[in-house]
Amino acid sequence: MVSDGGTGNVGTFTVASTQSHPKYNPKSFANNVALLRFDGGDGVEWKNYIAANPNDWKSEFYVKRTISGSSWAMPQVQESTGAAPADCANASPIYAANTKDFLCTDKFTTATQDGKTCASPFGTVYGVADPDLAVAAIYSHSVVIGDSLCSSTKVYSYYTVLSNFLEWGGAVAGSTIYLYTPDMNYKNNDNPNYVMNDPSGDATISGLLIGGDLNNQQGEQVGPSSIEKPSSTTIPTMSSVPITEQPSQSPEAVEEEPKKKSNLTTIIIIIAAVSLLLAIIGYLLWRKFKRRPAPTNMGTQYNNNQYAVGGQDYAPEYQDDYDHNTPHLNNRIISQDEYPHNDAAARQASYDYDRKDPDLMR
């Protein structure tokens, strides 16, 4: 039913098609506009002016129209002359990022739903430039501080300003959309691809974000309370840790497992026994070597006190106390400080002696 501007109507028509804005975001309600094409038949034309220049407006009329029977009821009107409430930006990030594309108010009318009196947003906002007025914005969404419109402590409602989307609407409809302004020098946005800015953050006020069909108030919780926070640090227990199901094994695989463990144990025992045997053999060879007489065919003198190489005396190479050699039995590399010869010349003589002794080469 299309209104004639008063309580009458010019007829009832069906909607032939709808075209939402291509960048409409149902989650944030960005670019929340659509074009309806009525099946009005031939020869029917409507001309409705859009208030495009906010600088012309002395105030805004928030208006709600309802149908009573077969005619329009008297409109409910709330005039606004001040700035938008400060918390409008805190409750809606999309409004905070696009304050020129939305109007916001915390005013509303009332309606009855399931026997309850509920807050009801307005449907249309008119820009008022005395004595004229024209449509400036249409309802987009609300943030309800409370569980629903029927149990709320505060309601912030947002209305999409139409002026920036007129070129898009005219391009989709293939016809002219008229705007109203007393300022003849005013230039409206002429970009048919205009889109709103993306929100840069989250709401800082907790509430229920709703829009569209207000009879179905299944909205989305927004704000700090919508982010789940752990109440305390917990230590996982066996009942709280998920158990990963292990793949089933065949009987053959079950039998193979003890065999593998048994084989591994046998290998470890053999390695240990061989290592011990090699250590004993090494120790016996060392003791045997220690008791051998010093060689004389290389022109060197050797006794328990000293030996000479090239006419220079050095401390004995082999000590009665064999603790200095035990690191070798433990199979580790000893440091220079641990080695019994701290004198560089002694170390070189010892090296030359071991290399040239024919008895050591047998």
Side-chain angles (χ1 to χ4, degrees):
M1 183 182 298
V2 178
S3 169
D4 63 359
T7 58
N9 63 81
V10 296
T12 301
F13 305 91
T14 59
V15 177
S17 63
T18 60
Q19 179 67 55
S20 298
H21 193 280
K23 296 297 183 180
Y24 166 61
N25 187 330
K27 184 176 179 64
S28 67
F29 294 101
N31 310 300
N32 189 10
V33 292
L35 188 74
L36 305 182
R37 188 184 298 274
F38 294 108
D39 185 8
D42 296 333
V44 178
E45 182 180 359
W46 297 296
K47 183 180 292 186
N48 197 5
Y49 290 91
I50 304 299
N53 186 7
N55 295 327
D56 296 339
W57 310 340
K58 302 299 186 290
S59 64
E60 297 98 33
F61 282 175
Y62 288 82
V63 179
K64 181 179 180 181
R65 302 295 303 269
T66 58
I67 296 176
S68 177
S70 58
S71 61
W72 290 90
M74 289 296 296
Q76 301 175 58
V77 180
Q78 174 72 52
E79 184 175 17
S80 175
T81 57
D87 281 337
C88 284
N90 296 327
S92 176
I94 190 64
Y95 171 82
N98 301 274
T99 54
K100 293 184 178 181
D101 287 317
F102 286 104
L103 298 176
C104 176
T105 184
D106 56 2
K107 302 295 190 290
F108 53 84
T109 63
T110 59
T112 301
Q113 183 178 11
D114 299 329
K116 299 179 181 179
T117 300
C118 308
S120 178
F122 299 95
T124 310
V125 183
Y126 288 79
V128 179
D130 287 336
D132 302 313
L133 74 163
V135 175
I138 55 176
Y139 175 72
S140 174
H141 62 282
S142 297
V143 175
V144 180
I145 312 303
D147 295 331
S148 69
L149 288 171
C150 301
S151 58
S152 61
T153 58
K154 198 78 171 179
V155 178
Y156 298 100
S157 295
Y158 303 86
Y159 301 80
T160 303
V161 175
L162 298 175
S163 58
N164 281 327
F165 298 97
L166 297 184
E167 288 297 320
W168 168 79
V172 173
S175 60
T176 302
I177 298 179
Y178 298 92
L179 59 85
Y180 168 79
T181 176
D183 184 0
M184 301 306 296
N185 295 319
Y186 172 76
K187 181 175 176 58
N188 195 55
N189 173 47
D190 59 359
N191 180 12
N193 299 315
Y194 178 82
V195 294
M196 294 182 182
N197 298 319
D198 293 327
S200 58
D202 297 324
T204 58
I205 293 179
S206 300
L208 181 69
L209 176 63
I210 60 175
D213 182 8
L214 298 183
N215 291 318
N216 179 14
Q217 299 182 36
Q218 299 298 320
E220 177 185 357
Q221 288 292 335
V222 296
S225 64
S226 64
I227 302 175
E228 184 177 351
K229 298 179 180 179
S231 57
S232 62
T233 302
T234 58
I235 300 176
T237 62
M238 288 301 295
S239 59
S240 64
V241 177
I243 300 175
T244 303
E245 183 179 354
Q246 298 295 329
S248 60
Q249 294 181 323
S250 63
E252 293 79 7
V254 174
E255 292 179 3
E256 285 288 335
E257 192 66 24
K259 292 180 180 180
K260 291 179 180 179
K261 293 182 179 179
S262 177
N263 293 339
L264 181 59
T265 303
T266 302
I267 293 172
I268 293 174
I269 293 174
I270 292 174
I271 292 175
V274 171
S275 299
L276 179 60
L277 180 61
L278 291 175
I280 294 172
I281 293 173
Y283 174 72
L284 294 176
L285 291 174
W286 175 80
R287 296 286 294 178
K288 180 179 179 181
F289 175 77
K290 180 181 178 182
R291 291 193 293 269
R292 287 187 176 186
T296 58
N297 60 341
M298 298 300 293
T300 60
Q301 298 294 323
Y302 171 62
N303 57 35
N304 287 335
N305 297 319
Q306 63 183 14
Y307 68 94
V309 176
Q312 185 174 357
D313 294 337
Y314 295 94
E317 168 68 14
Y318 301 103
Q319 306 288 335
D320 291 336
D321 181 5
Y322 58 85
D323 288 343
H324 294 296
N325 294 317
T326 55
H328 296 291
L329 299 179
N330 294 331
N331 296 322
R332 72 178 182 88
I333 300 174
I334 62 175
S335 66
Q336 179 177 338
D337 294 336
E338 295 177 44
Y339 197 73
H341 300 295
N342 292 324
D343 184 78
R347 290 197 300 273
Q348 183 62 42
S350 175
Y351 172 78
D352 293 341
Y353 180 82
D354 290 343
R355 296 278 288 181
K356 296 177 182 180
D357 193 342
D359 292 332
L360 295 179
M361 302 174 63
R362 291 179 182 175

